[in-house]
Amino acid sequence: SDEGDVHEQDNNKQNDSEISEIDLTNKGIPVIITAPKGAEVTEGFANGEIAGIIWINYEVNIDKFLLDVTMQDEDVSDDISVYIENAKAIETSQEYFSEFIKEEENGYIARIVSEDGPDYAFYYVLVKDNRAIEFSQGLNFDYYTLEEIETLYEAAKDAK
């Protein structure tokens, strides 16, 4: 039977019993993230030493909640605007980059439009304990909706 292919959408807003706090401090990133209940932490692709710099990279994920959290294990050397400018430069160099639909001091949401339709991306940086903690959407083999990206962006903004 095809019953296993039926996916019901639950569009109700999450209440407190459906969220959990995920503390990445014991993994080397001094941050607590609010995520949907059941979210798991997995090691990211950029975890390890690259060109003499220690990168700490984890993904907090469940379903379409895929939050990538990256931190260089060294003191913040640049103003936050430099992180934003660098991330935007990478974003705008993408072949299908369309526009920034939200731009704030610590981050942005971008629209990417290819022949397959719209996709969305975000970037957010939090400075804490003299470290720059960078957030973006995790690797997803499907397009993100704007609502999904806004949920991730808000989770990054809420990180403590």
Side-chain angles (χ1 to χ4, degrees):
S1 87
D2 294 330
E3 284 176 3
D5 296 328
V6 175
H7 295 286
E8 289 185 32
Q9 289 295 319
D10 181 8
N11 294 321
N12 295 333
K13 284 285 172 225
Q14 291 180 342
N15 61 41
D16 290 342
S17 67
E18 293 173 318
I19 60 172
S20 59
E21 287 195 338
I22 294 181
D23 190 344
L24 294 180
T25 305
N26 63 352
K27 298 193 180 297
I29 303 177
V31 73
I32 297 171
I33 294 156
T34 301
K37 204 168 200 64
E40 296 181 350
V41 177
T42 55
E43 194 171 300
F45 293 114
N47 209 39
E49 188 173 326
I50 302 167
I53 296 167
I54 303 291
W55 290 87
I56 305 172
N57 176 218
Y58 286 93
E59 276 197 5
V60 177
N61 59 70
I62 181 168
D63 302 325
K64 292 294 286 281
F65 185 96
L66 292 153
L67 184 64
D68 187 273
V69 187
T70 305
M71 186 189 83
Q72 274 180 260
D73 196 17
E74 58 181 45
D75 289 353
V76 173
S77 54
D78 291 312
D79 186 73
I80 209 156
S81 63
V82 176
Y83 288 91
I84 300 295
E85 285 167 25
N86 290 343
K88 281 185 170 180
I90 293 167
E91 203 73 64
T92 56
S93 71
Q94 307 285 338
E95 183 180 359
Y96 297 114
F97 171 80
S98 174
E99 63 181 324
F100 293 108
I101 56 176
K102 176 178 268 187
E103 294 181 80
E104 298 179 327
E105 185 181 359
N106 286 46
Y108 62 77
I109 294 176
R111 178 185 284 123
I112 298 110
V113 181
S114 71
E115 60 265 14
D116 295 326
D119 193 10
Y120 296 88
F122 86 95
Y123 174 84
Y124 187 83
V125 60
L126 166 71
V127 174
K128 183 178 177 189
D129 296 351
N130 207 23
R131 296 287 187 269
I133 303 168
E134 300 175 89
F135 299 87
S136 61
Q137 72 281 358
L139 191 61
N140 180 16
F141 297 103
D142 195 5
Y143 287 148
Y144 282 102
T145 65
L146 179 55
E147 186 178 25
E148 287 162 352
I149 286 295
E150 285 175 336
T151 298
L152 291 169
Y153 186 75
E154 289 304 316
K157 287 177 69 171
D158 288 344
K160 302 282 182 278

